Amino acid sequence: MKDVNSALLQAYYEVINGLSLPVYEGEEPDNVTDKIYVVISDVFTNETSTDNSSDVQATVQVSVHSWENKYNNTKSLNTTVGQILEAIKSDSKSVLDLSLYGLQMLNLSVQSDRTERYGELGGRVYISRILVFKQDIFII
Amino acid sequence: MAEHKVSGGTMLLFIDPTGGTSYDTVVCLTSVGKSDSVNVVDAGSACGPDKSPGVLDISYSFEGQHLQDPATGKVSGTSLRSLLRSKTTIGWKIAPETPAIGDEIEEGTGFLSELSSTYAFDSVGTFSGSFMPYGTPTITVAD
């Protein structure tokens, strides 16, 4: 059975990178200066194969982090998340094209979306939106 | 397109209220189903079993959420109820919005045979129904 993690991460990376947002896989580097940046991480898969096909159900976490000195609110963060949601799932039937990797995404939904306020760290006030996307994938 | 599965939410129901092929999309669909069966003619006797295929029975079902004042090109539960009560001959098609090579496309004419609506206190209004085809519908495979 083919591994889907790299293909999924790459597909999400390309969509978000296309919005000219700083995007990292796994975790951000120490010296990030951008006030809003994205981290794609934590692909979880469960095999859902049939007798004749290899399939998985996968989730991918897309974290959008924002910081401001002293005070921060969610306005810019929410605008950025809106752009990401539009790009990844423009309508109720949207899926990402994984055909380049020999995969077919069958369904795509936002499994959860939560706002996390981390408070002040080193003079910066951090707020993040943690999106988890769920998808069924047919391994062609 | 190469070998592929049918993605959720891609197989849609289209209806032409005038019986032709100028289809409107049924909204907001949550499922659409096809049911084909052949009744069994049982002529078994003491000489042994003797079963043969009888009449082909075809029906289609759908479920969705009511959308009031739908935009042009869409049809929802309220309009479907009017079509059922007037026993209108409808044109219908079940297919993806943009079929890829190999996708199943089925279409024909028929009539709405059942429609139920539920307006629950704590959830959105929903409808479910079924329709029967006139004759045997056409099945094609996109190429």
Side-chain angles (χ1 to χ4, degrees):
Chain A
M1 192 169 85
K2 213 184 289 182
D3 178 55
V4 303
N5 286 28
S6 295
L8 261 183
L9 292 168
Q10 185 73 29
Y12 277 85
Y13 179 89
E14 282 173 9
V15 172
I16 296 167
N17 194 45
L19 298 170
S20 300
L21 292 168
V23 54
Y24 308 98
E25 190 272 317
E27 61 182 303
E28 65 275 42
D30 292 334
N31 56 349
V32 176
T33 55
D34 303 287
K35 289 192 169 180
I36 290 189
Y37 59 93
V38 182
V39 177
I40 306 169
S41 60
D42 297 339
V43 178
F44 286 98
T45 59
N46 288 308
E47 186 179 354
T48 54
S49 297
T50 67
D51 281 354
N52 306 99
S53 65
S54 296
D55 308 81
V56 293
Q57 186 173 78
T59 58
V60 178
Q61 181 169 306
V62 176
S63 307
V64 186
H65 303 292
S66 73
W67 65 266
E68 288 286 348
N69 289 320
K70 201 168 181 182
Y71 302 109
N72 193 6
N73 62 39
T74 56
K75 189 178 180 201
S76 304
L77 174 65
N78 291 345
T79 302
T80 303
V81 169
Q83 292 171 343
I84 292 171
L85 287 171
E86 278 285 322
I88 292 176
K89 191 170 167 59
S90 59
D91 63 48
S92 62
K93 300 186 288 293
S94 295
V95 292
L96 297 183
D97 182 7
L98 301 177
S99 56
L100 187 65
Y101 313 101
L103 305 171
Q104 181 193 5
M105 189 180 287
L106 298 168
N107 307 290
L108 173 63
S109 61
V110 180
Q111 186 182 59
S112 65
D113 173 1
R114 67 179 197 275
T115 301
E116 295 274 0
R117 294 176 183 272
Y118 294 105
E120 189 174 322
L121 297 167
R124 294 175 173 181
V125 178
Y126 284 88
I127 307 177
S128 302
R129 286 265 298 263
I130 315 295
L131 309 169
V132 176
F133 292 92
K134 186 177 85 173
Q135 49 260 296
D136 293 316
I137 296 171
F138 169 40
I139 302 169
I140 301 167
Chain B
M1 194 182 212
E3 198 170 59
H4 61 284
K5 292 192 174 183
V6 181
S7 299
T10 57
M11 197 59 89
L12 303 178
L13 171 62
F14 304 89
I15 282 179
D16 180 354
T18 65
T21 56
S22 296
Y23 299 112
D24 295 332
T25 310
V26 177
V27 292
C28 300
L29 272 188
T30 53
S31 77
V32 59
K34 302 180 178 185
S35 175
D36 293 41
S37 63
V38 176
N39 75 329
V40 178
V41 177
D42 190 348
S45 68
C47 297
D50 183 2
K51 290 182 179 175
S52 56
V55 177
L56 174 65
D57 185 34
I58 304 173
S59 65
Y60 304 89
S61 60
F62 53 88
E63 294 179 2
Q65 296 175 350
H66 279 286
L67 184 68
Q68 307 290 262
D69 194 22
T72 304
K74 298 177 181 176
V75 60
S76 195
T78 305
S79 303
L80 295 177
R81 188 170 305 284
S82 300
L83 292 169
L84 182 144
R85 289 187 179 174
S86 59
K87 301 176 185 175
T88 305
T89 295
I90 57 168
W92 59 268
K93 181 171 79 167
I94 297 174
E97 193 163 23
T98 310
I101 294 172
D103 281 350
E104 180 179 303
I105 301 165
E106 187 168 9
E107 58 190 328
T109 58
F111 62 95
L112 289 155
S113 55
E114 192 263 326
L115 188 70
S116 302
S117 291
T118 303
Y119 305 100
F121 174 70
D122 56 355
S123 61
V124 297
T126 60
F127 61 86
S128 63
S130 58
F131 62 92
M132 307 285 170
Y134 287 129
T136 304
T138 309
I139 294 183
T140 53
V141 175
D143 54 13

